[in-house]
Amino acid sequence: MFQIGDYIIYRNTGVCQVVQIGIPENFSILDSDVQYYFLEPLRGSGVIYIPVNSTVFMRPVISKEQAMELIASIPTIPEQPDYTKDQKALHEHYKTLLQSHDCTALIQLIKNIHKKSAVLTAKGKNAGKTDLQYKKQAETLLHEELSIALGIPVEEVPAYIRSQIENTSLA
């Protein structure tokens, strides 16, 4: 069970903070015996009410140590761009990676699309809308989680990642 103040990953919403645990008083149709997490998304506004015993995906944000190990592993995560022209299959492939809620899968998705875009640009072509949409979504989810894990503002995460990779490669 999560505690008040915990940061968690909730479905594809991304990072949320547990701000309260209890029974929402403004929900008259709810079973008054069910406890709810009151989640505030890091991005956006409002409160998400989710039963404590829900089976929807929720997990704690990774630790600072896990974040540092993840960043150090980025150069070793293979790039395997998907060049399929079937947009539905591409969409499903990217969606599956996002829904894994795994930081390594998010990095692989970002690296794959970055590599694919570079190859297409070299050929005088542009990256597709689906690629760009999923790359942005993966970056947002990853950067939010790393921001919380590392205790730095989300807008500083890309520069932090670059500096850590550069420092590792110079060592």
Side-chain angles (χ1 to χ4, degrees):
M1 186 166 160
F2 300 112
Q3 304 300 315
I4 294 173
D6 286 352
Y7 285 97
I8 67 169
I9 302 299
Y10 172 68
R11 302 179 78 179
N12 281 344
T13 300
V15 176
C16 294
Q17 185 175 30
V18 179
V19 294
Q20 187 176 339
I21 301 171
I23 301 167
E25 55 190 60
N26 55 342
F27 285 12
S28 61
I29 61 171
L30 297 176
D31 183 347
S32 62
D33 294 336
V34 177
Q35 293 285 308
Y36 281 75
Y37 291 122
F38 295 53
L39 305 177
E40 279 187 5
L42 191 65
R43 183 174 17 102
S45 61
V47 175
I48 299 169
Y49 301 97
I50 186 76
V52 169
N53 61 354
S54 174
T55 59
V56 299
F57 183 85
M58 292 184 279
R59 70 163 170 79
V61 167
I62 61 174
S63 68
K64 183 173 184 173
E65 294 75 26
Q66 290 170 315
M68 297 299 291
E69 289 172 12
L70 179 71
I71 292 169
S73 76
I74 289 175
T76 65
I77 296 173
E79 296 169 347
Q80 301 166 329
D82 188 336
Y83 292 100
T84 184
K85 297 204 183 298
D86 181 347
Q87 290 302 302
K88 184 175 180 181
L90 186 64
H91 172 78
E92 286 303 314
H93 173 65
Y94 290 163
K95 184 176 164 186
T96 300
L97 287 172
L98 279 178
Q99 290 179 343
S100 73
H101 309 286
D102 178 73
C103 292
T104 302
L106 293 176
I107 291 170
Q108 185 166 42
L109 176 61
I110 294 164
K111 287 182 73 171
N112 291 349
I113 295 172
H114 180 76
K115 175 75 170 181
K116 182 178 177 181
S117 296
V119 168
L120 290 172
T121 300
K123 293 180 180 180
K125 298 179 181 180
N126 294 323
K129 180 180 173 185
T130 300
D131 292 316
L132 296 176
Q133 172 189 356
Y134 277 96
K135 181 180 178 211
K136 177 148 182 61
Q137 192 173 358
E139 287 173 337
T140 299
L141 292 170
L142 179 68
H143 293 170
E144 281 182 355
E145 184 162 8
L146 290 176
S147 168
I148 296 300
L150 298 168
I152 62 175
V154 71
E155 60 272 3
E156 292 179 17
V157 170
Y160 181 84
I161 292 170
R162 279 191 299 278
S163 72
Q164 292 300 304
I165 291 173
E166 289 169 5
N167 290 341
T168 303
S169 65
L170 295 176

